[in-house]
Amino acid sequence: GAGIGYDIIHTQRTEWEVSIGPAYQKSRFISVQPGQDQTVGSPAIILGTRFDIELSKHIDFILEYRGNFTSGNAVESSQHTVATLEFEIHKRLTLDLSFTWDRTGNPRQESNGTTPHPDDLRLTLGLGVDF
């Protein structure tokens, strides 16, 4: 895909950017029902945004979203959202606490008859070192 973006807000404490663009999505499934294609493809529109605000001298909040929306013959849409609290412990050391939500719009039924849940949720704790 390709896209174009725009900074809505760009100050010393706050940044907010948005993007949009055309793309092509191709999905390959490991397990499908008999008679279904293992590979599907479709044109898509990608929408994205990133919001970053400095809550205090040592704490940042970052919210990122990316949506991939396709025509009805593919896995219709996928969405990815990450909300992060970034704590500056030291000038070169940060602690990140992130909540991630991934959603597949129309998960395909597997060969054993089960349909995967469309939502995946994760809570991640990370330690970052700047060199």
Side-chain angles (χ1 to χ4, degrees):
I4 188 167
Y6 183 75
D7 284 347
I8 294 174
I9 300 172
H10 192 87
T11 66
Q12 194 171 11
R13 288 191 57 234
T14 306
E15 293 179 16
W16 182 20
E17 48 197 59
V18 294
S19 61
I20 187 170
Y24 184 82
Q25 177 177 302
K26 187 172 184 178
S27 300
R28 193 175 125 249
F29 302 98
I30 295 170
S31 176
V32 296
Q33 288 288 305
Q36 286 187 333
D37 292 330
Q38 278 195 285
T39 304
V40 293
S42 177
I45 297 286
I46 297 175
L47 302 172
T49 188
R50 184 176 195 278
F51 181 75
D52 186 339
I53 187 166
E54 186 179 303
L55 299 175
S56 73
K57 185 176 177 184
H58 299 288
I59 302 173
D60 288 357
F61 175 72
I62 304 161
L63 181 64
E64 297 176 89
Y65 171 81
R66 185 178 63 248
N68 186 5
F69 302 96
T70 64
S71 64
N73 65 346
V75 182
E76 295 181 23
S77 68
S78 61
Q79 298 176 64
H80 176 75
T81 306
V82 180
T84 301
L85 278 174
E86 183 177 273
F87 301 92
E88 184 180 319
I89 298 171
H90 184 268
K91 187 167 76 171
R92 297 186 182 263
L93 191 64
T94 60
L95 181 69
D96 295 349
L97 180 62
S98 297
F99 176 76
T100 304
W101 170 58
D102 288 313
R103 179 169 179 82
T104 301
N106 188 17
R108 284 262 179 117
Q109 194 175 42
E110 297 177 357
S111 60
N112 64 5
T114 61
T115 302
H117 195 272
D119 297 300
D120 289 321
L121 304 172
R122 292 185 303 279
L123 187 61
T124 308
L125 183 65
L127 190 61
V129 179
D130 289 331
F131 292 98

